[in-house]
Amino acid sequence: MQARRRPHRHAAFSAAFIAVHGRQLRAGQVRGAGFGRSGPRLARPRLQGGLPVLSPAAPPAVKSYNLEAFVLRMRPLGEADRIVTLFSRERGKGHAVAKGVRKPHSKFGARLDFFSRVQLSLHTGRSLDVITAAQTVTSSWESVIDPERFGAASYVGEIVDALCEPDLAVEDLYDTVCQFQQGLCDKQADPELLIAAFDLRLLQALGLTPELDACARCGTGLGNRPLAGGRAVLSAHAGGLLCRTCSLQLTESERYADERSGVFSVKAAEFKALRALREAILGDAASLTSAAAGCSASSLHRATRPFIEYQLGRRSKSLTVAGNQQHALRAPKAG
Ligand SMILES: [Zn+2]
């Protein structure tokens, strides 16, 4: 049987867009610049007595607007400015400039904290929009001073930034990030379990949900039958669960591919927990713990991570850094 081809990134997002908006993406609607340049195009001016007149149907160009968004990333720009990567419900991912925020007496620089939810006023700029005011809606500052929670927030910032197209709203994903922030602030919630649940919800929001109810290759329903040998075979390359027949038909290269696209198996209890985790409420520690049903957070995250890294096409930098830090902390001190 021919191996399933990896879905093209744009094809996947096009599918997600259709799921959300019910129509196909048009050429030129997704662009790489900041907010504000992907809205409906204005009708071309028609000439009347030699003077250009805008069509009455054309909406006026928006100069200033308000936006609630998460701060995913900040990079220095010039002497005192920053480029801020934002993620909002209405506009998806985008970049904006915060001028003068690295100066000691900046008016709102302190409110543009990493992974904070902020209410912004922006002015449409020539290339990037400019942030003119910011108010904190919810802050994660107290949570992200904990290294493990900071690692989890960095991971979410990294994959949302990497997997979301600019200026493409994904409302379900915004709600999931809101829930993730609530979970992050809840000391009862395990950050690694939060990440595993977030992985599944992010893939779902982008139309890339791993198939866990039937075989991803032949479509055979799982039903209520026990899994062969007490383990479930999963493959990020195939897109989810593999039935016994399909897992036996794997070629050598598929079976022994690298971790990201290779085949791996999980215990039946972990597979059941993964299915339950799809419906868990991220902001509710009790809901996550109940879905995990005694399975360790690291075993569940090990099962979701290949699906994310397969879409990323690389390892997560945040998880690699966090893993190295934990390894360094566990290593016995010299002398
Ligand atoms: Zn099958």
Side-chain angles (χ1 to χ4, degrees):
M1 190 175 288
Q2 224 179 13
R4 176 183 286 194
R5 287 179 62 197
R6 182 182 172 186
H8 190 272
R9 178 78 52 79
H10 286 289
F13 278 99
S14 198
F17 187 87
I18 295 166
V20 173
H21 299 278
R23 62 188 171 89
Q24 179 72 46
L25 274 171
R26 284 173 295 156
Q29 207 161 10
V30 174
R31 297 184 194 180
F35 287 132
R37 271 151 299 284
S38 66
R41 290 176 184 177
L42 297 178
R44 293 184 74 178
R46 56 192 164 80
L47 292 175
Q48 202 173 66
L51 295 172
V53 178
L54 276 178
S55 159
V62 178
K63 285 287 182 190
S64 296
Y65 60 96
N66 295 323
L67 190 71
E68 187 183 291
F70 278 93
V71 176
L72 295 185
R73 193 178 170 198
M74 287 183 287
R75 283 167 288 168
L77 174 70
E79 291 286 317
D81 306 341
R82 278 203 170 106
I83 294 180
V84 185
T85 303
L86 300 165
F87 182 67
S88 68
R89 182 194 296 277
E90 295 84 4
R91 293 170 179 245
K93 183 187 81 173
H95 308 287
V97 176
K99 291 193 171 176
V101 289
R102 286 158 62 209
K103 287 181 182 170
H105 300 294
S106 162
K107 278 190 288 184
F108 56 84
R111 292 177 207 138
L112 293 174
D113 267 339
F114 167 65
F115 215 69
S116 284
R117 189 170 158 193
V118 284
Q119 180 68 42
L120 302 170
S121 297
L122 294 110
H123 191 80
T124 307
R126 191 179 292 272
S127 59
L128 289 175
D129 294 351
V130 179
I131 299 171
T132 53
Q135 291 293 332
T136 304
V137 178
T138 48
S139 171
S140 313
W141 186 83
E142 285 187 5
S143 303
V144 297
I145 53 172
D146 171 58
E148 209 178 347
R149 286 170 194 274
F150 176 77
S154 302
Y155 170 73
V156 167
E158 179 193 351
I159 58 171
V160 170
D161 187 11
L163 293 180
C164 289
E165 294 289 337
D167 293 343
L168 181 62
V170 189
E171 292 184 9
D172 286 352
L173 184 55
Y174 185 81
D175 293 338
T176 302
V177 176
C178 291
Q179 284 188 23
F180 179 86
Q181 193 197 36
Q182 284 173 21
L184 204 65
C185 298
D186 183 349
K187 298 291 179 201
Q188 303 299 316
D190 184 320
E192 199 158 19
L193 192 55
L194 257 179
I195 288 180
F198 182 85
D199 284 348
L200 293 171
R201 299 292 279 276
L202 174 127
L203 292 167
Q204 196 174 19
L206 298 181
L208 302 166
T209 318
E211 179 58 80
L212 300 179
D213 298 319
C215 175
R217 284 222 167 144
C218 68
T220 304
L222 180 69
N224 293 317
R225 286 176 299 164
L227 299 162
R231 295 189 77 87
V233 178
L234 297 169
S235 162
H237 178 68
L241 176 75
L242 290 178
C243 70
R244 185 169 172 75
T245 312
C246 290
S247 62
L248 290 173
Q249 288 173 350
L250 288 169
T251 62
E252 289 293 300
S253 60
E254 286 173 321
R255 193 178 297 277
Y256 299 109
D258 63 84
E259 264 180 54
R260 281 201 302 276
S261 53
V263 177
F264 59 98
S265 68
V266 294
K267 292 177 190 164
E270 290 164 353
F271 181 66
K272 193 177 170 190
L274 283 175
R275 296 179 72 194
L277 216 50
R278 294 179 299 184
E279 312 298 331
I281 302 165
L282 273 74
D284 181 357
S287 168
L288 289 171
T289 310
S290 160
C295 296
S296 74
S298 57
S299 69
L300 297 177
H301 182 214
R302 266 200 304 277
T304 60
R305 185 173 173 173
F307 289 96
I308 293 289
E309 294 190 336
Y310 181 71
Q311 297 301 331
L312 282 177
R314 59 173 169 80
R315 285 184 175 279
S316 155
K317 290 175 191 166
S318 313
L319 291 182
T320 306
V321 171
N324 291 343
Q325 280 177 343
Q326 284 178 3
H327 183 73
L329 287 171
R330 283 195 208 111
K333 288 179 184 171

